[in-house]
Amino acid sequence: TFGDEEFYDGVNLLPNEFYEKLVSSKELPQTSLVNEYRWSEVFEEYTKNGDELVVITISSKLSGTYNAACDAAKKYEGVYVVDSLNACTGERLLLLYALSLKEKGLSAKEIVAMVENVKSKVNILAMVDTLKYLKMGGRISATTAFVGEMLAIKPIVAIIGGEVKQVGKAMGVKKAFSFLKTFVENKGGVDFNKPYGLVWSGNQQVGLEKFMVDGKKIWEENGNDISKYIIGSTIGTHVGPGAVGIAF
């Protein structure tokens, strides 16, 4: 919600339109969970022909969406809700993994078990380019934001245990990218047999392109055909434009 205007992310507000509104708005937009009623509408539609559903939601520690989905699912047979304990592209990777299992013929219950087994291995971390939106959202103080901007400090955030946490900070973009590469190495590298991708926010891909060159050692053995995903409005509201990261 921007002021009195309400939008559905990705439906009547596309990412490029969202970031245009974000940078021109004096106040942060407000985000809202997917409520039980909206879930029920979808479950009603897709279970009436006997299909089973595997539902993967944003982390329950970041939103009430998971609980709302669970409440709605109680009314329907064959609806399984998974708490991704992740968000954004981290959640998407689990979805892509679940789809690959479906294509192999696994049942809904089997898919849920496999997704639950791997979800703790999903990593997503990103460099935040500006502290402006973290300050506006009350995540950091105005003083911290001012000093950080003066010193060109780039926070590195990750989703750990279902929550967004700062895992480091670097002075300047180059050092931030170095931190991202080291983080990936310390996690044992990217498993190219499972979904992975790069993420960015905003309407410019300059930072993303720089990271693709700077971090090429991460994925060069697997070629340069790397999936790239833009951060949507829910997370974009808090990190602002210019964020660059990796999910694996």
Side-chain angles (χ1 to χ4, degrees), residues 46-127:
Y46 290 101
T47 57
K48 62 186 180 183
N49 64 351
D51 279 348
E52 293 186 310
L53 306 182
V54 177
V55 183
I56 301 174
T57 76
I58 188 172
S59 172
S60 61
K61 296 183 180 181
L62 299 176
S63 168
T65 295
Y66 169 74
N67 290 329
C70 288
D71 289 341
K74 293 174 184 176
K75 308 167 192 173
Y76 302 91
E77 291 289 333
V79 177
Y80 304 91
V81 184
V82 177
D83 180 359
S84 73
L85 289 179
N86 221 296
C88 193
T89 307
E91 181 186 349
R92 185 189 185 110
L93 297 192
L94 285 176
L95 172 64
L96 293 174
Y97 177 62
L99 286 171
S100 72
L101 297 175
K102 174 182 176 293
E103 290 168 0
K104 292 178 180 178
L106 273 69
S107 69
K109 281 186 176 180
E110 290 171 327
I111 291 171
V112 169
M114 296 280 282
V115 171
E116 290 283 4
N117 187 51
V118 304
K119 71 181 185 182
S120 64
K121 300 176 183 177
V122 174
N123 297 281
I124 179 169
L125 73 156
M127 172 203 77

Side-chain angles (χ1 to χ4, degrees), residues 185-211:
E185 290 169 2
N186 289 342
K187 288 288 185 177
V190 177
D191 182 352
F192 294 111
N193 293 314
K194 292 187 173 65
Y196 68 98
L198 298 180
V199 299
W200 88 98
S201 65
N203 287 337
Q204 302 293 328
Q205 294 190 34
V206 177
L208 178 68
E209 291 166 357
K210 287 181 179 178
F211 183 51

Side-chain angles (χ1 to χ4, degrees), residues 232-247:
S233 65
T234 303
I235 305 301
T237 291
H238 302 290
V239 300
V244 176
I246 184 168

Side-chain angles (χ1 to χ4, degrees), residues 6-248:
E6 186 176 281
F7 301 92
Y8 289 110
D9 185 21
V11 179
N12 61 350
L13 184 70
L14 299 178
N16 63 316
E17 298 168 322
F18 164 74
Y19 285 108
E20 286 175 4
K21 282 182 169 292
L22 182 66
V23 297
S24 63
S25 177
K26 294 181 180 179
E27 297 181 355
L28 274 185
Q30 300 296 309
T31 61
S32 178
L33 58 81
V34 181
N35 61 38
E36 182 181 344
Y37 175 76
R38 296 289 292 173
W39 281 120
S40 294
E41 284 188 317
V42 175
F43 296 167
E44 177 73 28
E45 174 68 21
Y46 290 101
T47 57
K48 62 186 180 183
N49 64 351
D51 279 348
E52 293 186 310
L53 306 182
V54 177
V55 183
I56 301 174
T57 76
I58 188 172
S59 172
S60 61
K61 296 183 180 181
L62 299 176
S63 168
T65 295
Y66 169 74
N67 290 329
C70 288
D71 289 341
K74 293 174 184 176
K75 308 167 192 173
Y76 302 91
E77 291 289 333
V79 177
Y80 304 91
V81 184
V82 177
D83 180 359
S84 73
L85 289 179
N86 221 296
C88 193
T89 307
E91 181 186 349
R92 185 189 185 110
L93 297 192
L94 285 176
L95 172 64
L96 293 174
Y97 177 62
L99 286 171
S100 72
L101 297 175
K102 174 182 176 293
E103 290 168 0
K104 292 178 180 178
L106 273 69
S107 69
K109 281 186 176 180
E110 290 171 327
I111 291 171
V112 169
M114 296 280 282
V115 171
E116 290 283 4
N117 187 51
V118 304
K119 71 181 185 182
S120 64
K121 300 176 183 177
V122 174
N123 297 281
I124 179 169
L125 73 156
M127 172 203 77
V128 178
D129 187 53
T130 174
L131 299 173
K132 173 183 175 181
Y133 299 94
L134 291 172
K135 181 193 75 174
M136 290 175 68
R139 298 295 196 274
I140 58 174
S141 69
T143 302
T144 300
F146 176 76
V147 173
E149 294 284 3
M150 286 286 290
L151 298 176
I153 290 175
K154 309 296 182 185
I156 313 294
V157 296
I159 296 182
I160 298 174
E163 299 178 284
V164 179
K165 295 186 178 181
Q166 182 173 320
V167 294
K169 57 186 177 181
M171 194 174 293
V173 172
K174 192 170 184 63
K175 289 184 178 179
F177 286 168
S178 178
F179 186 100
L180 294 181
K181 288 185 289 183
T182 301
F183 184 97
V184 174
E185 290 169 2
N186 289 342
K187 288 288 185 177
V190 177
D191 182 352
F192 294 111
N193 293 314
K194 292 187 173 65
Y196 68 98
L198 298 180
V199 299
W200 88 98
S201 65
N203 287 337
Q204 302 293 328
Q205 294 190 34
V206 177
L208 178 68
E209 291 166 357
K210 287 181 179 178
F211 183 51
M212 287 188 66
V213 174
D214 200 55
K216 64 181 180 181
K217 284 188 177 180
I218 297 173
W219 46 75
E220 62 183 353
E221 63 187 65
N222 203 55
N224 294 314
D225 186 19
I226 308 164
S227 298
K228 307 172 193 69
Y229 305 110
I230 189 166
I231 295 172
S233 65
T234 303
I235 305 301
T237 291
H238 302 290
V239 300
V244 176
I246 184 168
F248 64 101

